[in-house]
Amino acid sequence: MKYRKLGNSDIEISEVSFGCMSLEEDFEKTKELIHLAFDKGINYFDTADLYQNGNNEKMLGEAIKSFRDKIVIGTKVGNQPRENGEGWDWNPSKKYIVNSVEKSLTRLKTDYIDLYQLHGGTIDDPIDETIDAFETLKAAGKIRYYGISSIRPNVIREYVKRSKISSVMMQYSLLDRRPEESCLQLLQENKISVVTRGTLAKGLLAGKQLKNYLSYTSSDLEIVIEKLRKIPKEDRTIGQIAIQFVLNHKSITSSVVGFRTKDQLQECIKAIEIEQLSDEELNYLQNIIEPLFYKNHR
């Protein structure tokens, strides 16, 4: 496994990291998968208080307690569950964030969170108050660093200008290159890491049945897959090519992937170990489909 520095922090995280959102409720199976990931060199595990109503954090905390000090935990905050148990409301207030961190710490069985992320965000939020909440938690030693999880360029720009975020988690893949328009360069210039989600485009780049994705039709994607098959793969799968493409961009620190099986885990890790894409192949990939642009929140 290879590691890259997380923005302005002193943390290095694995190029492929573990997205816990897709973990199954079977704890023994989950624990085995997490331990295998750790044994293979994955050291960043990403969760959120929203996932499985907090049970995702609980399972992760229980699974990693024997090697907590050897890994980096990222979790997220901002979605407040409704009292009736049906859905949640957006709440980026300082009071909510400061109270929520205590619950996450308990569920994760830890004294600190390495990377605490705002789980969304709008341009109408009390952004300075939100930033103050994270800075307060950092000063108190509850969190080490903070970031945001957002695809909204207008929100990202505000946090770049007004905060000391270490990272932005955003969707980025061969099929979703919207961040290339402005966000990736902006974050790179400000030494803020990008941690990607959606690298495999909901599994469409890993063998799942093709269906409409963003504004692409399934017919568009059939053409893309056929073009991908023309790359001299040797032992590279399309999924591995997709991971290599994302990690090639200088602003990207890690690709967060949701693993459900040992085979999926092994395949994604292998993307780091096998022959990487050549300049010619990268150029080819950048032209296999017309990239999209953000229509909203610009």
Side-chain angles (χ1 to χ4, degrees), residues 205-253:
L205 295 172
K208 279 194 175 181
Q209 183 175 351
L210 298 180
K211 59 183 179 180
N212 295 351
Y213 183 73
L214 300 177
S215 61
Y216 299 126
T217 66
S218 57
S219 297
D220 293 330
L221 300 186
E222 285 178 11
I223 295 172
V224 170
I225 297 300
E226 282 305 311
K227 289 180 178 179
L228 286 171
R229 289 194 179 114
K230 292 180 181 179
I231 294 179
K233 293 194 294 294
E234 297 180 6
D235 62 347
R236 287 184 303 196
T237 65
I238 289 176
Q240 289 166 344
I241 289 170
I243 291 172
Q244 289 181 352
F245 174 82
V246 165
L247 290 173
N248 180 72
H249 200 286
K250 292 181 180 179
S251 67
I252 309 301
T253 295

Side-chain angles (χ1 to χ4, degrees), residues 113-294:
I113 292 166
D114 299 285
L115 180 64
Y116 205 33
Q117 302 157 96
L118 185 68
H119 202 174
T122 76
I123 200 66
D124 298 318
D125 289 347
I127 292 176
D128 288 328
E129 178 184 335
T130 301
I131 293 168
D132 183 50
F134 286 115
E135 289 289 350
T136 298
L137 293 175
K138 188 175 179 180
K142 302 287 185 179
I143 66 175
R144 296 176 65 191
Y145 300 98
Y146 65 97
I148 62 172
S149 176
S150 177
I151 62 172
R152 298 182 174 187
N154 58 355
V155 172
I156 291 170
R157 283 195 298 270
E158 290 305 309
Y159 277 89
V160 170
K161 287 190 296 186
R162 296 154 70 172
S163 77
K164 297 178 181 178
I165 56 171
S166 297
S167 65
V168 174
M169 172 175 267
M170 59 195 317
Q171 184 167 295
Y172 179 55
S173 72
L174 272 168
L175 298 181
D176 187 0
R177 292 169 54 200
R178 293 175 295 175
E180 291 179 359
E181 184 182 3
S182 62
C183 292
L184 295 187
Q185 182 177 349
L186 173 67
L187 294 167
Q188 184 180 343
E189 290 172 350
N190 285 273
K191 298 182 180 180
I192 297 168
S193 284
V194 177
V195 180
T196 68
R197 59 179 178 83
T199 301
L200 300 177
K202 295 185 176 180
L204 299 176
L205 295 172
K208 279 194 175 181
Q209 183 175 351
L210 298 180
K211 59 183 179 180
N212 295 351
Y213 183 73
L214 300 177
S215 61
Y216 299 126
T217 66
S218 57
S219 297
D220 293 330
L221 300 186
E222 285 178 11
I223 295 172
V224 170
I225 297 300
E226 282 305 311
K227 289 180 178 179
L228 286 171
R229 289 194 179 114
K230 292 180 181 179
I231 294 179
K233 293 194 294 294
E234 297 180 6
D235 62 347
R236 287 184 303 196
T237 65
I238 289 176
Q240 289 166 344
I241 289 170
I243 291 172
Q244 289 181 352
F245 174 82
V246 165
L247 290 173
N248 180 72
H249 200 286
K250 292 181 180 179
S251 67
I252 309 301
T253 295
S254 183
S255 171
V256 177
V257 183
F259 311 108
R260 286 186 176 272
T261 68
K262 294 178 182 179
D263 287 343
Q264 290 174 352
L265 173 62
Q266 299 275 22
E267 179 182 344
C268 292
I269 290 175
K270 193 176 178 182
I272 308 299
E273 302 167 349
I274 59 180
E275 182 181 355
Q276 300 298 294
L277 294 166
S278 66
D279 291 342
E280 182 180 356
E281 289 169 333
L282 286 164
N283 183 64
Y284 175 78
L285 290 171
Q286 288 165 350
N287 292 283
I288 62 172
I289 195 169
E290 190 71 25
L292 304 175
F293 297 98
Y294 287 120

